[in-house]
Amino acid sequence: MQNSSTPTSDGVPHTFMKMISPSISSPLSQICNLTMSRGSVPKVWKHSYILPLNKTAKPSQPSDFRPISITSQICRIYERFLLKQIIAHLDSINFWSDEQHGFRPRRSTVSCMLTALNDWTDNIDKGNQVDIVYLDYAKAFDRVQHDLLLAKLVEVRLNPSLIRWIDSFLSERYFEVKVGKSYSAKRKALCGVPQGSVLSPILFGIFVNDVPKTLPPGVKCRQFADDLKIYASFSNSDSSNSLPNRLQLAIDSVILWSKKAKLDLNNSKTECITLGNRRAMNTYTIEGNTVGQKTLIRDLGFLISPKLDFSEHWHKATNAAKFLVSQIFTKYNSNDSKIMTLLYKTFIRPVLEYGTEVSSPYKKCDIRAIESIQNSFTRRLLSRQIGRYLTPSDPDYLSANQRNAKYGLASLEHRRQTTDYKMVLKMQLGKIDINTEDFFTTNTFTKTRSNNTFHWKAGKTKTRRNFFIHRTLSRVAISSDLPPITPN
């Protein structure tokens, strides 16, 4: 249990539950087991407070907020036990589509993007064009029809008692919207799974898991929760209509599936981007509306451009980090290096290190811009400690490397390289649930990695050579203290 001061619908504070947990664990387990045997969830467990969280910087209408349910703390404890059982059952029957990276252990937004980029950069390396269509579900979690979801739970052969419990859990739910200290009138939720509950993500995952099966041959997809992108590649030798026809058929297939599932697609947010050195702009439609062709698309927190160089991504990230540096030095007057570096590591550095396995820059201007954030922070901190602004001619001035050493910071470039190498090791040891043979092979395998030889397909284009696996293994190959690695 995590400490939290957020009030819950059952009126039991998180901190209080944590304090008395040894005393109430036995009677609480009896209550939970009784709800399961009866297939009936107490009404107070089905009452939620809805907190509207901003989806945009300046929200102006209800759709600019994401509704998050604050549910019963006691119910959430029991949901965690049920979640483990559901995950174990689904894994035992190999339920999950390989394209789904949400809700699953050892998978993440990074694994989703790496598998997609591996496909995209490989096709670009072959001289192919890749068209990607991003499909957006309108209020996906809130629109799930309970009868259709329960039918899918029966299909995956969940325990009948558990299905009855989930049916009760989803039925007759009531909520109040909480803004500040004010509450709305109580309303009934007619459909959907409550965003913020423990079981909702995996229930939604079960609901949308069969989407990839609807796609025609030659079209691939990647899913992360309700985010779906479908893509296909074609070469100059292909028929001029082959790619658009395939991808258009895939769009139509997803539309048909969505109508059967009673999940509405947000046509206005469906977008397309074309990757490759030679790009033909194809036109796609969704229910009669032309899909917008973009040159920059946000994909799971990364900004994707046709060149896949992530320059726009890093431009935005460094601007955000500059603002945070300014805010920290404005709001905190401490010159204690431990406190200030902790603030830096907590609020600023994560902005510059999210998913660098995916977006690691290769342009020198981007690398310098990223490093300048840390350099600016350490320079301002040193100036504050000395008591005056330091210039390079000042006798107390220290170089960027000296300041990093003084405050116990490694360069951001070095940290990115370390992160890349750790990801390769996790993939090799099975700590990341993706097929490593799509990225590299080894002629032997040991936990100590001794006597391992890595093999991967060498890249021809700049895009492929700077992709995660090529840049990482190429760097390791020239290091004498690491296992030998050779490109094919």
Side-chain angles (χ1 to χ4, degrees):
M1 291 174 58
Q2 297 180 346
N3 291 328
S4 174
S5 59
T6 304
T8 60
S9 57
D10 55 15
V12 182
H14 295 66
T15 50
F16 179 70
M17 285 287 293
K18 197 168 185 178
M19 289 171 57
I20 66 172
S21 57
S23 302
I24 66 169
S25 57
S26 178
L28 188 59
S29 65
Q30 294 179 39
I31 294 172
C32 292
N33 290 335
L34 183 61
T35 69
M36 179 60 69
S37 63
R38 291 182 176 180
S40 177
V41 176
K43 288 183 180 180
V44 69
W45 290 10
K46 298 191 285 185
H47 180 207
S48 306
Y49 293 145
I50 304 295
L51 300 184
L53 300 184
N54 295 6
K55 290 197 291 186
T56 60
K58 296 180 179 180
S60 59
Q61 53 189 350
S63 60
D64 292 336
F65 295 91
R66 185 185 307 279
I68 300 299
S69 297
I70 306 300
T71 57
S72 163
Q73 173 64 14
I74 297 175
C75 186
R76 289 177 63 85
I77 294 172
Y78 191 41
E79 285 180 76
R80 291 189 183 96
F81 286 101
L82 297 180
L83 179 64
K84 291 180 181 179
Q85 300 300 318
I86 294 173
I87 290 175
H89 172 73
L90 296 177
D91 288 343
S92 70
I93 63 173
N94 296 318
F95 168 76
W96 291 112
S97 160
D98 195 48
E99 289 79 10
Q100 178 62 266
H101 287 255
F103 328 114
R104 302 179 61 182
R106 298 183 295 140
R107 289 198 170 194
S108 63
T109 56
V110 170
S111 67
C112 185
M113 290 301 299
L114 285 180
T115 55
L117 282 165
N118 192 44
D119 281 345
W120 301 344
T121 57
D122 184 51
N123 275 288
I124 292 172
D125 210 45
K126 295 173 181 175
N128 296 341
Q129 170 179 322
V130 181
D131 279 15
I132 312 165
V133 176
Y134 291 82
L135 297 156
D136 182 78
Y137 286 105
K139 301 180 180 178
F141 276 67
D142 299 329
R143 299 284 178 84
V144 174
Q145 298 295 314
H146 296 164
D147 57 336
L148 298 178
L149 173 59
L150 293 171
K152 289 180 181 287
L153 299 183
V154 173
E155 287 180 12
V156 300
R157 303 190 300 276
L158 281 186
N159 186 290
S161 296
L162 177 55
I163 295 176
R164 286 195 301 271
W165 191 94
I166 292 174
D167 184 15
S168 176
F169 173 75
L170 296 175
S171 303
E172 301 294 321
R173 293 195 69 91
Y174 289 86
F175 66 90
E176 297 174 69
V177 178
K178 180 179 183 294
V179 178
K181 296 182 179 180
S182 301
Y183 294 84
S184 71
K186 189 182 294 186
R187 300 293 177 88
K188 184 178 181 180
L190 301 177
C191 61
V193 290
Q195 293 192 55
S197 75
V198 175
L199 287 181
S200 291
I202 199 166
L203 293 177
F204 184 82
I206 293 171
F207 193 71
V208 300
N209 188 65
D210 54 351
V211 171
K213 297 177 183 177
T214 67
L215 301 180
V219 178
K220 296 183 179 181
C221 79
R222 290 292 180 271
Q223 292 174 284
F224 191 90
D226 58 337
D227 289 307
L228 171 66
K229 50 181 172 277
I230 58 177
Y231 59 91
S233 64
F234 76 105
S235 64
N236 294 332
S237 61
D238 289 341
S239 166
S240 59
N241 293 325
S242 61
L243 173 70
N245 285 345
R246 273 185 284 154
L247 209 46
Q248 185 62 58
L249 284 173
I251 294 172
D252 295 341
S253 297
V254 175
I255 293 172
L256 182 60
W257 180 93
S258 300
K259 288 182 177 179
K260 291 180 179 178
K262 298 181 181 179
L263 282 182
D264 295 330
L265 286 167
N266 192 335
N267 296 347
S268 63
K269 291 188 177 181
T270 297
E271 300 173 330
C272 174
I273 190 170
T274 298
L275 312 179
N277 297 321
R278 298 178 181 178
R279 302 187 293 275
M281 298 296 106
N282 299 307
T283 301
Y284 304 100
T285 61
I286 178 167
E287 296 186 311
N289 300 312
T290 301
V291 176
Q293 181 73 231
K294 303 293 183 179
T295 56
L296 191 66
I297 284 183
R298 178 172 291 277
D299 188 349
L300 299 180
F302 303 94
L303 291 179
I304 303 296
S305 66
K307 294 182 179 180
L308 290 180
D309 57 9
F310 293 100
S311 283
E312 293 87 350
H313 174 85
W314 285 114
H315 178 71
K316 184 169 184 177
T318 51
N319 282 343
K322 287 177 185 177
F323 175 76
L324 290 172
V325 170
S326 175
Q327 289 291 298
I328 283 177
F329 277 96
T330 300
K331 295 183 177 181
Y332 295 90
N333 294 321
S334 173
N335 62 359
D336 187 319
S337 60
K338 290 184 178 180
I339 293 175
M340 296 302 288
T341 54
L342 178 61
L343 289 169
Y344 169 75
K345 293 176 182 178
T346 303
F347 296 107
I348 301 171
R349 197 163 68 181
V351 175
L352 301 171
E353 293 191 334
Y354 166 64
T356 55
E357 304 95 326
V358 173
S359 60
S360 187
Y362 62 85
K363 290 184 177 180
K364 291 183 179 179
C365 59
D366 293 332
I367 295 172
R368 287 195 296 267
I370 297 167
E371 209 67 49
S372 70
I373 303 299
Q374 181 164 292
N375 293 343
S376 171
F377 178 87
T378 57
R379 185 172 181 170
R380 291 183 68 167
L381 177 55
L382 182 61
S383 295
R384 174 177 285 185
Q385 291 177 324
I386 297 296
R388 64 181 182 278
Y389 179 76
L390 298 176
T391 64
S393 59
D394 194 296
D396 291 322
Y397 180 82
L398 298 178
S399 68
N401 289 338
Q402 290 173 324
R403 295 196 301 272
N404 285 346
K406 175 179 176 66
Y407 299 124
L409 300 171
S411 73
L412 295 175
E413 182 177 17
H414 175 75
R415 286 177 60 83
R416 289 194 300 273
Q417 293 173 356
T418 302
T419 299
D420 282 348
Y421 187 62
K422 286 181 178 179
M423 175 60 76
V424 171
L425 296 185
K426 289 178 181 178
M427 291 170 66
Q428 187 186 9
L429 295 172
K431 294 183 178 180
I432 304 294
D433 182 21
I434 55 179
N435 184 10
T436 57
E437 292 185 359
D438 292 338
F439 294 82
F440 62 84
T441 59
T442 56
N443 58 353
T444 60
F445 178 83
T446 64
K447 289 187 177 180
T448 60
R449 298 179 286 110
S450 60
N451 301 319
N452 282 357
T453 301
F454 289 71
H455 301 273
W456 76 99
K457 187 177 180 180
K460 300 175 184 177
T461 61
K462 182 184 292 186
T463 302
R464 183 65 177 178
R465 288 196 301 270
N466 288 288
F467 174 59
F468 158 70
I469 204 65
H470 192 283
R471 71 168 182 266
T472 304
L473 298 185
S474 297
R475 190 183 305 121
V476 175
I478 61 176
S479 180
S480 59
D481 60 339
L482 294 170
I485 297 176
T486 58
N488 292 331

